[in-house]
């Protein structure tokens, strides 16, 4: 099976042109670009749409099923991507129009080129190529494309797909979604490329904390105002972080990284049990590693009176929390209540729980082996994803939910996600399609214990 990078990019360009911006409360008009994208997929990938069934879920999410021939006892495999993108933001910051694919200086630019249409593209290419070769899967293959990953919506397409599969008694043996990728190891102090595969993800919650007061004219204030009390609560939250914990997933990250880090780090990481206290202090010092070992509680917004000469009747702050597996939305609420004090009201605005941790067994090894083949010079590292993805819903029906996009993404391109000039290197689309094709060929293709093809 040979994949042609330029031909793949020519089929990619139209996908970027559909302005599939998700809204928490979508109406028919919002869903039109999604329907247009679906129509394009039908035209561009005729074999996929002839041989796979496709259901439209929640108005615009897509659930494809490729029936296996039943020769493998393995549970079905699901490849995930999301169809939606975040808005372009400030247009003057873009070098090129955001909703068109532009090639320049070794990169492709456009909203969604990395987050997350590159996975949709490579999966479609892989399945179309396998069908062209006359191959058919041994067990069922699902392609699951949510349409509102980027917003917190009660009508989550991914959630609805999971509920649908559940209602049909489907348990999945492997789920692959966005999250990790191949990148430079510098952020972890590793002088090589790394292929990071997410085993779990943090939860998140927004809390509104409010102090109430009598109010009145500011010419006759009391000893303090609601703003002063809510400010003290903000300081208390910052001075009382939630406790640090070393998750199994994070230990695995450190173990995998240790041989490539400096001697001191390698020693501490290889004696994790004995050096737990100092290690947690060390990890707590840097933003990136601190976020791996505790639930973070960032005070992000504040509000007081509407005018300078008014004593506020209430003052509030918003606290955005990223929840470590093991904590819950409720345990974080209790922490905030205890730290802020009795006279502060704590209200949950929105939240989702952290995911369970996926198994790291032979199914993980298969994904790790293929990631290693994709980037032979990279160290494969399992990790805890700090952001959220549709993958979190799938733990309900799968113990092997991994987050890995089969692309090399340099640090500057990683930083372009959700901002202006989103980009990806223009090479590697062929290798990404090959990754998914190999995954489908390998997964479930053998009796248990037999060597991989
Ligand atoms: Zn995404």
């Amino acid at each position: 099976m040979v994949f042609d990078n330029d031909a793949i990019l020519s089929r990619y360009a139209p996908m970027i042109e559909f302005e599939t911006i998700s809204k928490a409360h979508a109406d028919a008009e919002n869903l039109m670009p999604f329907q247009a994208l679906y129509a394009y997929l039908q035209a561009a990938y005729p074999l996929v749409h002839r041989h796979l069934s496709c259901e439209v879920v929640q108005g615009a999410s897509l659930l494809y099923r490729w029936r296996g021939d039943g020769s493998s006892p393995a549970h079905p495999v699901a490849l995930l991507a999301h169809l939606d993108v975040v808005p372009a933001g400030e247009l003057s910051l873009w070098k090129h129009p955001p909703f068109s694919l532009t090639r320049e200086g070794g990169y492709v630019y456009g909203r969604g080129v990395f987050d997350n249409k590159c996975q949709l593209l490579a999966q479609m290419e892989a399945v179309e190529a396998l069908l062209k070769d006359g191959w058919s899967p041994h067990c069922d293959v699902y392609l699951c494309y949510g349409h509102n990953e980027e917003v917190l919506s009660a009508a989550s397409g991914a959630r609805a797909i999971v509920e649908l599969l559940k209602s049909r008694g489907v348990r999945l043996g492997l789920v692959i979604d966005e999250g990790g990728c191949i990148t430079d190891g510098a952020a972890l102090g590793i002088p090589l490329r790394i292929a990071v595969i997410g085993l779990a993800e943090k939860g998140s919650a927004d809390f509104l904390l409010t102090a109430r007061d009598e109010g009145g004219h500011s010419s006759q204030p009391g000893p303090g105002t609601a703003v002063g009390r809510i400010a003290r609560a903000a300081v208390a939250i910052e001075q009382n972080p939630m406790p640090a914990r070393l998750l199994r997933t994070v230990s695995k990250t450190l173990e995998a990284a240790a041989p490539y880090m400096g001697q001191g780090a390698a020693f501490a990481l290889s004696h994790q049990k004995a050096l737990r206290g100092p290690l947690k202090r060390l990890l707590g010092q840097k933003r990136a590693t601190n976020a791996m070992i505790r639930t973070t509680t960032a005070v992000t917004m504040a509000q007081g009176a509407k005018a300078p000469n008014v004593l506020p009747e209430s003052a509030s702050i918003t606290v955005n929390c990223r929840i470590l597996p093991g904590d819950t939305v409720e345990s974080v609420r209790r922490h905030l209540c205890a730290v802020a004090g009795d006279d502060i009201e704590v209200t949950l605005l929105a939240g989702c729980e952290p995911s369970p941790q996926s198994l790291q067994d032979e199914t993980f090894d298969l994904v790790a082996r293929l990631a290693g083949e994709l980037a032979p010079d990279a160290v494969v590292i399992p990790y805890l994803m700090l952001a959220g993805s549709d993958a979190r819903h799938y733990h309900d029906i799968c113990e092997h939910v991994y987050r890995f996009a089969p692309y090399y993404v340099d640090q500057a391109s990683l930083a372009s996600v959700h901002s202006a000039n989103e980009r990806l290197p223009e090479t590697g689309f062929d290798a990404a399609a090959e990754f998914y094709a190999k995954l489908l060929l390998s997964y479930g293709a053998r009796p248990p214990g037999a060597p991989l093809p």
Side-chain angles (χ1 to χ4, degrees):
M1 210 173 323
V2 181
F3 292 96
D4 175 342
N5 199 65
D6 280 336
I8 293 175
L9 281 178
S10 71
R11 286 186 285 274
Y12 198 21
M15 288 191 201
I16 303 303
E17 290 168 18
F18 301 107
E19 299 191 20
T20 52
I21 299 165
S22 48
K23 299 235 162 63
H25 304 285
D27 55 27
E29 197 187 326
N30 301 140
L31 297 183
M32 279 164 58
F34 293 91
Q35 284 146 7
L37 172 58
Y38 178 36
Y40 170 72
L41 293 176
Q42 288 171 299
Y45 301 98
L47 296 178
V48 170
H49 292 83
R50 194 177 313 149
H51 292 270
L52 279 67
S53 62
C54 182
E55 286 171 85
V56 178
V57 179
Q58 212 74 299
S61 288
L62 301 176
L63 172 61
Y64 290 86
R65 180 183 182 188
W66 190 5
R67 276 180 195 272
D69 62 18
S71 64
S72 168
H75 287 299
V77 53
L79 308 181
L80 271 58
H82 61 84
L83 306 170
D84 60 321
V85 297
V86 295
E90 181 55 53
L91 287 180
S92 64
L93 297 175
W94 285 81
K95 292 194 287 184
H96 312 285
F99 290 99
S100 74
L101 186 97
T102 308
R103 289 176 78 163
E104 188 195 78
Y107 292 93
V108 290
Y109 289 85
R111 172 57 82 226
V113 288
F114 178 42
D115 188 11
N116 179 244
K117 288 177 176 168
C118 66
Q119 280 172 214
L120 170 70
L121 169 75
Q123 292 167 10
M124 282 282 146
E125 292 286 338
V127 175
E128 185 79 5
L130 288 169
L131 284 164
K132 207 167 175 184
D133 265 17
W135 186 77
S136 60
H138 303 275
C139 61
D140 282 5
V141 174
Y142 289 96
L143 307 175
C144 308
Y145 303 132
H147 74 284
N148 50 10
E149 190 273 344
E150 298 288 4
V151 293
L152 263 184
S153 169
S156 157
R159 184 73 241 163
I161 287 175
V162 169
E163 290 303 329
L164 203 56
L165 292 174
K166 235 181 179 175
S167 73
R168 294 171 185 168
V170 175
R171 267 204 83 73
L172 298 170
L174 169 62
V175 170
I176 299 267
D177 193 13
E178 65 177 341
C181 61
I182 299 153
T183 188
D184 306 312
L188 280 176
I190 297 176
L192 298 168
R193 285 187 179 184
I194 51 177
V196 288
I197 303 174
L199 299 182
E201 64 191 69
K202 291 179 95 171
S204 72
D206 291 328
F207 289 95
L208 183 73
L209 274 63
T210 308
R212 300 205 185 273
D213 200 18
E214 280 176 17
H217 198 281
S218 63
S219 59
Q220 297 179 47
T225 69
V227 171
R229 280 167 41 227
I230 205 68
R232 280 193 289 279
V235 172
I237 289 165
E238 290 180 349
Q239 290 180 341
N240 295 280
M242 291 194 67
R245 271 185 294 120
L246 262 184
L247 291 182
R248 189 184 69 219
T249 298
V250 175
S251 290
K252 298 272 186 197
T253 307
L254 300 174
E255 272 164 28
Y260 306 93
M261 299 167 87
Q263 266 191 347
F267 179 81
L269 296 175
S270 56
H271 295 79
Q272 282 189 38
K273 277 217 172 84
L275 296 174
R276 203 155 266 260
L279 187 58
K280 281 197 273 193
R281 274 197 293 283
L282 182 75
L283 296 170
Q285 284 166 8
K286 281 200 174 160
R287 285 178 182 210
T289 46
N290 182 53
M292 289 159 57
I293 59 166
R294 61 164 46 90
T295 294
T296 54
T297 50
V299 181
T300 52
M301 298 165 77
Q303 199 174 22
K306 296 274 190 290
N309 59 349
V310 173
L311 293 174
E313 288 173 351
S314 70
S316 61
I317 52 173
T318 304
V319 186
N320 177 259
C321 306
R322 299 304 175 110
I323 307 170
L324 198 68
D327 289 329
T328 61
V329 173
E330 174 55 20
S331 70
V332 176
R333 192 192 65 79
R334 284 200 303 269
H335 169 82
L336 293 177
C337 287
V339 168
D342 287 344
D343 59 341
I344 304 291
E345 291 170 21
V346 178
T347 311
L348 174 67
L349 298 176
C352 70
E353 301 290 352
S355 80
Q357 300 177 71
S358 289
L359 297 178
Q360 214 184 339
D361 55 10
E362 64 271 18
T363 307
F364 174 84
D365 292 343
L366 168 65
V367 178
R369 178 173 71 84
L370 294 173
E373 284 176 17
L374 182 65
D377 56 342
V379 186
V380 176
I381 294 181
Y383 86 119
L384 168 71
M385 189 171 157
L386 303 179
S389 75
D390 275 346
R392 69 173 176 274
H393 301 289
Y394 287 77
H395 288 269
D396 271 8
I397 53 170
C398 185
E399 290 176 306
H400 306 92
V401 181
Y402 303 120
R403 296 153 177 86
F404 179 70
Y407 286 86
Y408 167 68
V409 193
D410 56 283
Q411 288 296 320
S413 299
L414 268 185
S416 72
V417 170
H418 287 204
S419 64
N421 304 310
E422 181 176 345
R423 71 178 202 188
L424 261 189
E426 67 180 353
T427 54
F429 288 86
D430 49 354
E434 192 181 354
F435 171 89
Y436 289 117
K438 278 180 168 176
L439 185 76
L440 295 181
L441 286 168
S442 307
Y443 176 83
R446 69 219 145 95
L452 293 167

